[in-house]
Amino acid sequence: YGKADTALDYVTKNKPDLLQGWLLRARTNNLIDSLPKLYKGLAKPYFDKVVELAKLDSAKYNKELFEAYGEISFFFYKKMISSKGNRPEEEKNACEAKKYYEKILAIEPKNEQSISGLKIIKQSYPALKCEDKQ
């Protein structure tokens, strides 16, 4: 995956407005993260860039936005789980995950993964108050 990431680094540096380059780089880093014991959230900054570019024409890139929101929500969900014991950090990550689950539901209202994620957050943090920094 390292060679693919290097090639896609070249693409994204030379064509920074090419959404598909960022999406492929995000997916490649997601594959690196999927290797056992290696999850570091490497794909998140690339999915952030996909969101930034896809929002310029959300009708055209709705599928890409949905994928990016899903991966970003998973990133924050994993951070929420891994920060157990540090309540302020848990709640910060829960709020971020919640925000992206809600964005997914705005695209696909019956998305079971997002509904389930929100339910877990509500059960785990019943008094959770999140700032709306959209």
Side-chain angles (χ1 to χ4, degrees):
Y1 301 116
K3 287 182 181 181
D5 186 53
T6 300
L8 291 164
D9 177 53
Y10 177 83
V11 171
T12 56
K13 283 181 179 167
N14 288 288
K15 295 278 187 177
D17 294 334
L18 182 65
L19 183 136
Q20 295 304 323
W22 290 101
L23 183 60
L24 289 172
R25 188 150 192 218
R27 288 175 178 166
T28 298
N29 279 272
N30 216 19
L31 288 170
I32 294 168
D33 271 343
S34 71
L35 298 171
K37 299 183 182 183
L38 287 181
Y39 187 82
K40 294 183 176 124
L42 299 173
K44 186 193 176 284
Y46 307 115
F47 279 117
D48 286 338
K49 187 66 176 182
V50 169
V51 168
E52 178 187 323
L53 294 172
K55 283 176 131 182
L56 297 174
D57 190 349
S58 59
K60 180 178 179 181
Y61 296 115
N62 196 39
K63 187 175 105 182
E64 290 83 352
L65 269 175
F66 179 82
E67 179 180 348
Y69 288 157
E71 295 299 336
I72 295 169
S73 68
F74 179 70
F75 169 80
F76 284 112
Y77 185 83
K78 289 237 351 159
K79 280 187 75 172
M80 178 187 79
I81 299 297
S82 68
S83 60
K84 286 284 184 203
N86 179 348
R87 194 66 175 195
E89 191 66 20
E90 283 179 60
E91 289 181 356
K92 180 180 118 190
N93 291 314
C95 283
E96 288 296 319
K98 179 180 181 285
K99 176 174 76 175
Y100 284 96
Y101 286 140
E102 289 169 348
K103 289 178 185 230
I104 291 167
L105 292 173
I107 296 170
E108 186 181 299
K110 294 184 180 186
N111 181 272
E112 289 184 25
Q113 196 170 18
S114 295
I115 292 168
S116 176
L118 285 172
K119 184 178 177 183
I120 290 167
I121 289 170
K122 285 179 186 175
Q123 289 172 344
S124 301
Y125 309 97
L128 184 69
K129 297 205 183 327
C130 301
E131 290 182 34
D132 189 18
K133 297 182 194 175
Q134 307 264 349

